[in-house]
Amino acid sequence: MRILIPGIDGYLGWALAQYLAERGHQVGGVDAGFRRQWVQEMGSRSAIPIAEMPARLAAFEERWGQRLFYQQGDLTDWDFIQRIFKEFRPEAIIHLGQCPSAPYSMIDRQHAVWVQTNNIMGNLNMLYAMHELAPEAHLVKLGTMGEYGTPAMDIPEGFFEVEFRGKKDRLPFPRQAGSWYHQSKVHDSNNTMLACKIWGLRVTDIMQGVVYGTRVDGLESDERLFTRLDFDEAFGTAINRFACQAVIAAPLTLYGSGHQKRGFLPLRDSLQCLALAVENPPLEGEDNYRVFNMFEEVYNVVELAGKVASAAAGLGLNPQVRHIENPRLEMEEHYYRPDRQHLLDLGYQPTHDMEAELRLMLTDLLRYSGRIEEVKEVLLPRIRWDGSRRQSTYLD
Ligand code: USQ
């Protein structure tokens, strides 16, 4: 299948390109190079050194014998998207080309406006490009579990049966985002649903949990093929940050009580699920807009830190776990039980071995601990949801 990956230079994008090539797909990608700029703006860098795009493309061609169609450009530029669709003629699109950071969107007004403009306009252009140039294509759109928030009830996959004043209907499950970033994904879901309704587009909207991990065995033997791994407060996810903290003996930063629960999945499972979604598009007679919740297991942050600390102890490290004032406004004590059946029905086989994944990640990171040590001040959170930019202090 000819699959276009907007956001191919990112954490998931670059790994996914390889995973799909390994499965025999023809891969194309676009990227504006924003992720490298944002992380630089945070005063940080990827813990794992990553190659520039030309070197990545050369390594890809050597390894898989296919020339990856690649163009640098911005998804808010309509002429650029049109040109890409005409040249590459995608049969499927896995849209990862958005700003993925809640804290980045909470820095100030400019960042909030930029994130929403970039994410929402880019996705809307993508929907128009499909409508006008590739109406048969299937879009796998990366949304987030954070769209749902943390309601005091089970979370279905996108829709639920509801009864109100004696009438019943199947309606979209309420979305209650907790940051301007998460809210941009809610707007995307609404726009995407409308495009499916009025134009008959086929879309799988993925509600993904928090991804962690450095690699997928067997893919990245060549260093030019390594994907990035961030640890700054905006672009590092909780476990990735904890692992980077552990290898330099910095305290693992639990925000608040650490009782916040989220769905987590290793990078290898994220790729497996995205491939399953794209290879199994909605069939004739099925809903043309469908929602998949995508995560492996639910943990709270204390449990996560405990797992990282225990894997680190197994490698002779001795990390400290510390509670730090929560810079975010989020529920810390809450119910959390989302469904995740759709991907299992398609054959998703969860890895179920977080400890092994953590050992692998910590071993990889130990090689690069010097790179983390040099900019370790970025590990402490400063971006606050109240906008004050006051550095959080330790609570214990
Ligand atoms: N947290 C800590 N310590 C840290 C960093 C985070 O306790 O050092 C806590 C946060 O307060 C939060 C939880 O860990 O309660 C998850 O935070 P995160 O930064 O790992 O994840 P989040 O901001 O929710 O965003 C990440 C990705 C985003 C994706 C989302 C899925 O960056 O792109 O949409 O995970 S979800 O969380 O399910 O919404």
Side-chain angles (χ1 to χ4, degrees):
M1 202 186 294
R2 260 192 324 279
I3 306 175
L4 181 71
I5 308 177
I8 196 167
D9 191 39
Y11 174 46
L12 297 181
W14 185 236
L16 181 66
Q18 300 172 50
Y19 191 84
L20 294 176
E22 187 72 16
R23 291 173 77 86
H25 295 292
Q26 189 185 335
V27 183
V30 295
D31 205 292
F34 288 148
R35 176 61 170 259
R36 295 179 192 238
Q37 290 171 25
W38 297 323
V39 173
Q40 222 174 14
E41 182 187 339
M42 299 312 298
S44 191
R45 58 182 175 200
S46 167
I48 294 182
I50 52 168
E52 293 299 328
M53 208 59 202
R56 283 188 153 182
L57 295 174
F60 188 96
E61 191 169 347
E62 282 168 37
R63 174 79 160 75
W64 284 282
Q66 66 161 284
R67 198 153 168 264
L68 193 154
F69 171 96
Y70 173 74
Q71 303 259 332
Q72 179 163 357
D74 186 336
L75 302 179
T76 61
D77 176 352
W78 172 239
D79 291 341
F80 172 71
I81 297 200
Q82 271 186 310
R83 204 175 65 239
I84 295 300
F85 269 66
K86 285 179 186 160
E87 282 178 28
F88 185 67
R89 294 177 295 107
E91 293 166 295
I93 301 126
I94 304 183
H95 181 15
L96 311 174
Q98 298 191 310
C99 179
S101 168
Y104 189 80
S105 75
M106 301 304 287
I107 292 177
D108 54 20
R109 185 194 63 79
Q110 283 94 325
H111 286 80
V113 170
W114 194 90
V115 169
Q116 291 219 348
T117 306
N118 179 69
N119 290 3
I120 300 166
M121 295 312 132
N123 188 57
L124 192 54
N125 274 339
M126 193 71 62
L127 295 169
Y128 260 94
M130 287 179 69
H131 173 51
E132 294 183 8
L133 300 164
E136 299 301 323
H138 169 214
L139 172 66
V140 175
K141 163 72 176 63
L142 193 69
T144 164
M145 283 300 295
E147 291 185 36
Y148 299 121
T150 48
M153 58 165 67
D154 290 3
I155 299 174
E157 299 194 69
F159 292 86
F160 72 149
E161 298 284 336
V162 61
E163 187 174 342
F164 181 61
R165 295 187 179 152
K167 296 274 199 193
K168 281 188 189 162
D169 204 350
R170 180 175 177 267
L171 293 176
F173 191 74
R175 302 295 210 267
Q176 306 183 80
S179 74
W180 299 121
Y181 151 71
H182 286 99
Q183 192 73 329
S184 75
K185 299 281 196 174
V186 175
H187 295 312
D188 284 343
S189 287
N190 287 329
N191 287 349
T192 304
M193 219 182 328
L194 178 64
C196 289
K197 192 156 93 184
I198 57 181
W199 298 328
L201 300 182
R202 291 183 304 161
V203 178
T204 305
D205 205 356
I206 303 274
M207 302 297 118
Q208 181 170 249
V210 188
V211 182
Y212 65 95
T214 37
R215 60 163 141 150
V216 179
D217 311 325
L219 286 190
E220 316 92 331
S221 45
D222 178 332
E223 292 198 355
R224 293 170 298 170
L225 294 171
F226 287 177
T227 199
R228 61 180 311 122
L229 194 284
D230 292 300
F231 54 91
D232 63 277
E233 64 170 313
F235 294 94
T237 60
I239 315 186
N240 288 349
R241 279 166 54 74
F242 294 163
C244 290
Q245 288 162 339
V247 298
I248 64 159
L252 274 49
T253 51
L254 288 182
Y255 292 173
S257 69
H259 294 163
Q260 310 84 303
K261 294 183 194 136
R262 296 288 183 275
F264 295 89
L265 74 167
L267 179 62
R268 69 181 75 243
D269 281 8
S270 172
L271 306 184
Q272 185 197 152
C273 289
L274 290 170
L276 275 172
V278 82
E279 288 167 1
N280 295 279
L283 299 172
E284 198 66 43
E286 291 179 350
D287 285 343
N288 58 331
Y289 173 78
R290 60 183 186 179
V291 179
F292 290 177
N293 292 350
M294 187 165 125
F295 60 91
E296 183 183 319
E297 284 159 319
V298 171
Y299 293 107
N300 73 26
V301 188
V302 171
E303 291 166 331
L304 276 184
K307 283 179 183 294
V308 175
S310 123
L315 294 171
L317 301 164
N318 183 23
Q320 237 192 322
V321 178
R322 292 191 70 182
H323 292 263
I324 191 164
E325 211 185 334
N326 195 339
R328 306 181 182 200
L329 275 176
E330 60 184 356
M331 281 230 262
E332 292 184 11
E333 310 294 331
H334 61 92
Y335 180 82
Y336 200 59
R337 215 175 71 143
D339 293 349
R340 52 135 205 180
Q341 191 55 43
H342 292 168
L343 280 158
L344 292 172
D345 291 345
L346 290 180
Y348 166 38
Q349 293 183 325
T351 302
H352 282 318
D353 198 350
M354 189 183 248
E355 297 274 330
E357 198 65 50
L358 289 173
R359 272 196 304 278
L360 189 66
M361 171 156 53
L362 288 163
T363 309
D364 280 347
L365 289 169
L366 275 168
R367 282 177 67 194
Y368 302 114
S369 57
R371 290 175 59 85
I372 304 166
E373 184 78 48
E374 274 171 30
V375 290
K376 65 179 178 203
E377 62 285 353
V378 305
L379 288 166
L380 286 178
R382 287 180 184 81
I383 303 168
R384 302 179 66 84
W385 265 224
D386 65 12
S388 68
R389 302 286 324 241
R390 180 170 58 75
Q391 189 173 315
S392 292
T393 50
Y394 286 109
L395 299 170
D396 52 16

